[in-house]
Amino acid sequence: MASCAVSDLPDGRRVIALAGRLDAASVPSIWDPVHRALDDAPARPVTVDAAEVESCDGAGIALLVDLASHARAAPVEVVRMRPDVDTLYRQFDLARLEHDLDPPPKPLGVVPEIGRATYRVSRDLAEMVSFVGALAAALAYAIAHPASVRWRDVWRICEGVGADALPIVALISFLLGLILAFQSAVPMKRFGAEIFVADLLGLSVLRELGPLMTAILLAGRSGAAFAAEIGTMTVNQEVDALTTMGLDPVRFLVTPRIIAALLMTPLLTLFANLVALAGGALTMETFQIPLVTFFKELDSAVDITDFMAGWAKSFVFAFLIAAVGCMRGLQTSAGASAVGDSATRAVVSGIILLVIADGIFAYLYFVLDI
């Protein structure tokens, strides 16, 4: 136990005598009385007598340092410490504690901020080019040597990317088809053209919305999962361990995820197209358009070219989602929030690249008249 005694000397000095064990269990009981003794005499010099202190841990040293650096008009002095306590106490520079040891950085001007942002973007592009080269070499090796691929991991990742994503893809795609059909049928009903909702829905879902919405869902789900999983391995130095053992992290970790995404994303896109069309067909039932009529009109409006134009995008989208997620995972830095930052960057980068790729496809299809 610890105790404190306060006395006032004839010369006006106040003495606070500490005794006992100053440890984490006893310091809280004397913290407030000691500080109250300081606050009651702000103009008196105070001497903290530590001669009767038997032992002291970090909490006790914190009490002594806090007393010595207490902001008041008169000084506070800690005296008669045991050698072991004095050694711990002298580790702290009271002059430095009077200033903020971690001041906020000074704001930069507009030009330095632009330069810093430009440097970050250029560095990110350079790392991306390097990663694409390593990934291309790893995929080429996997194609030439299929036995080198860890197929057990591929099937496990396929389950997470494909089968586990079916419920959310089904829900979003069904609502997408339902809402798109309803919003289109309401104005078309004024002209008696509800039947052409099947044309609009078929072309928009098969060529554009089905592949894009599926890819965006996978970017937020699987892309973030890839980044978080590999990022955690990076923080735990498991990736460094693979490199030390002579294993290429890109070939060992990234290739199975790329293959799984390439296998599952086109199938999920096909599933999303069917569910979205089913949702639109059910909506048109409320507008007195039978299912048979809806699907016959759909069959006359779209052909295999429209389906393939959208389905071909899913392969590119799958590659972008998996590659960006894995790259952000390998770029994970140290720190408590590093994995979360990598997952966020993977989702944001993935969606931006998906939109850019979709725009490129739209331009190519226009030029090729597809």
Side-chain angles (χ1 to χ4, degrees), residues 83-300:
D84 55 341
V85 177
D86 183 72
T87 300
L88 293 175
Y89 179 78
R90 299 302 174 189
Q91 293 179 354
F92 297 90
D93 186 355
L94 300 182
R96 292 187 61 194
L97 294 178
E98 295 177 357
H99 308 283
D100 188 359
L101 299 181
D102 189 19
K106 296 181 180 179
L108 300 176
V110 176
V111 175
E113 286 290 352
I114 294 176
R116 179 177 293 182
T118 304
Y119 170 74
R120 286 198 298 264
V121 171
S122 61
R123 183 183 60 183
D124 193 53
L125 290 176
E127 292 178 355
M128 187 177 299
V129 171
S130 176
F131 178 79
V132 169
L135 180 57
L139 290 177
Y141 185 86
I143 294 173
H145 305 84
S148 65
V149 179
R150 303 167 64 234
W151 292 106
R152 181 176 299 180
D153 285 351
V154 171
W155 306 135
R156 176 184 59 82
I157 298 170
C158 282
E159 181 181 359
V161 174
D164 293 346
L166 285 176
I168 185 63
V169 171
L171 175 63
I172 298 300
S173 299
F174 181 81
L175 293 177
L176 175 67
L178 187 147
I179 295 171
L180 187 60
F182 181 79
Q183 294 292 341
S184 304
V186 170
M188 287 187 176
K189 186 177 181 180
R190 301 176 184 177
F191 308 98
E194 302 98 314
I195 187 62
F196 294 110
V197 172
D199 303 52
L200 183 151
L201 188 63
L203 291 173
S204 60
V205 169
L206 294 180
R207 294 181 65 97
E208 192 70 32
L209 293 180
L212 185 60
M213 289 302 299
T214 303
I216 291 176
L217 286 175
L218 291 181
R221 188 181 181 279
S222 301
F226 291 167
E229 186 176 1
I230 297 179
T232 302
M233 297 177 67
T234 303
V235 172
N236 294 336
Q237 298 182 341
E238 296 175 33
V239 175
D240 294 337
L242 290 176
T243 305
T244 302
M245 291 186 294
L247 299 174
D248 183 8
V250 175
R251 187 180 303 170
F252 194 79
L253 298 175
V254 179
T255 300
R257 288 166 172 79
I258 296 290
I259 295 175
L262 289 173
L263 291 176
M264 290 295 105
T265 305
L267 297 179
L268 285 175
T269 300
L270 178 60
F271 175 73
N273 290 341
L274 295 175
V275 174
L277 294 177
L282 291 178
T283 301
M284 296 312 298
E285 280 278 354
T286 63
F287 289 87
Q288 287 74 48
I289 303 295
L291 294 179
V292 175
T293 305
F294 178 87
F295 283 110
K296 285 186 67 68
E297 179 64 24
L298 179 66
D299 181 62
S300 65

Side-chain angles (χ1 to χ4, degrees), residues 315-359:
F315 293 92
V316 177
F317 291 166
F319 180 83
L320 292 176
I321 294 168
V324 170
C326 295
M327 184 186 70
R328 295 307 185 195
L330 292 174
Q331 290 176 341
T332 304
S333 58
S337 62
V339 175
D341 292 341
S342 295
T344 302
R345 294 176 64 199
V347 175
V348 174
S349 302
I351 292 177
I352 292 176
L353 289 177
L354 289 177
V355 175
I356 293 175
D358 191 61

Side-chain angles (χ1 to χ4, degrees), residues 18 20-24 26-27 50 53-65 81-82 84-86 88-89:
L18 301 178
R21 298 172 58 88
L22 297 183
D23 53 25
S26 60
V27 165
V53 174
E54 301 174 2
S55 63
C56 189
D57 65 1
I61 295 299
L63 173 63
L64 298 178
V65 171
M81 290 178 286
R82 291 174 43 159
D84 55 341
V85 177
D86 183 72
L88 293 175
Y89 179 78

